[in-house]
Amino acid sequence: QVQLVESGGGLVQAGGSLRLSCVASGSAFSRYTMGWFRQAPGKEREFVAVISRADSRTFYANSVKGRFTISRDNTNNTVLLQMNWLKREDTATYYCAARYGSSRNEANQYEYWGQGTQVTVSS
């Protein structure tokens, strides 16, 4: 099993930046695909970004493409989400997730989830 802990959320003005971190416990971190999802009040959880387990290939939701960057550090069991040029509509609780398999963008395909970290972008 994998335990995930997110950090780095906070309050930022539109146009600003935040970097979210997710630290995983246990071994075999490099075998897991890692994803970021977000959920705003009254909305369903939506895909943000994913990074593959083998060659660190990435894929992004259209809404964040060009602004967000996902990366991973397998030595330190960490996945990062660098968020630049933040918009009001980016406000949400952000979750990291892990799955033992190939990259997917459906939340229900991920086995492990963190507690979430709140990102609030002021207008």
Side-chain angles (χ1 to χ4, degrees):
Q1 70 284 351
V2 178
Q3 291 186 340
L4 307 173
V5 180
E6 305 99 332
S7 63
L11 175 65
V12 64
Q13 291 186 335
S17 298
L18 285 173
R19 184 174 66 246
L20 305 183
S21 298
C22 176
V23 179
S25 67
S27 61
F29 173 76
S30 63
R31 299 184 184 181
Y32 287 83
T33 290
M34 300 297 299
W36 285 96
F37 295 79
R38 67 187 183 186
Q39 188 166 20
K43 295 186 177 181
E44 295 184 345
R45 189 166 299 186
E46 66 174 346
F47 167 77
V48 176
V50 63
I51 185 165
S52 66
R53 60 180 179 174
D55 54 3
S56 296
R57 298 177 69 179
T58 59
F59 186 78
Y60 300 89
N62 288 334
S63 59
V64 306
K65 192 175 300 182
R67 300 187 297 119
F68 291 9
T69 302
I70 187 172
S71 61
R72 67 190 298 161
D73 180 352
N74 290 337
T75 299
N76 294 302
N77 287 13
T78 302
V79 61
L80 304 174
L81 184 68
Q82 178 66 47
M83 305 185 295
N84 298 322
W85 304 105
L86 284 161
K87 305 175 180 179
R88 178 67 180 87
E89 51 264 45
D90 295 319
T91 295
T93 300
Y94 283 71
Y95 301 88
C96 67
R99 73 182 305 269
Y100 194 81
S102 59
S103 295
R104 301 290 296 274
N105 61 1
E106 301 94 347
N108 61 11
Q109 296 298 309
Y110 285 76
E111 304 169 65
Y112 305 103
W113 292 84
Q115 298 271 45
T117 186
Q118 179 66 38
V119 172
T120 302
V121 183
S122 62
S123 58

